[in-house]
Amino acid sequence: MDHIVTVQEAVTALAPDLEPTAVELDAIELEMPVILADVDLLDAQILTLDRVPNELDERRLRRARRKALAARVTLANTAAAIAPGVGA
């Protein structure tokens, strides 16, 4: 019969290494406008799930889509400026 042994020590030994690095935190900070714009878009879409969108809802959706697209374009341009030649 094989005994089941816990591996608690191996799991907790890696705990300090699970924190994000400075580079990862910088990448998250760089992408934060896109994340927030996507959250706004999701909020606008959630508002219209249980009803037919009225004119105000349509405007809110269009504005949120434009904001999300603009944030993505800005991020893409920033990434291209940081790492030239990567997207070419």
Side-chain angles (χ1 to χ4, degrees):
M1 172 181 250
D2 293 329
H3 295 287
I4 299 174
V5 180
T6 62
V7 290
Q8 185 68 27
E9 186 177 322
V11 173
T12 56
L14 298 175
D17 296 333
L18 295 178
E19 294 294 322
T21 64
V23 174
E24 292 170 335
L25 290 174
D26 289 342
I28 292 170
E29 186 176 336
L30 186 66
E31 293 177 3
M32 191 54 70
V34 174
I35 295 167
L36 294 175
D38 286 345
V39 168
D40 289 343
L41 179 57
L42 284 172
D43 286 343
Q45 291 171 337
I46 288 169
L47 286 174
T48 60
L49 283 177
D50 61 344
R51 64 174 189 245
V52 176
N54 58 26
E55 185 177 342
L56 183 61
D57 294 331
E58 294 287 340
R59 287 184 199 172
R60 185 178 293 124
L61 283 167
R62 280 195 306 268
R63 185 173 38 244
R65 284 187 192 112
R66 283 194 307 264
K67 184 178 175 183
L69 181 61
R72 289 180 184 280
V73 167
T74 302
L75 178 64
N77 290 338
T78 303
I82 290 172
V86 171

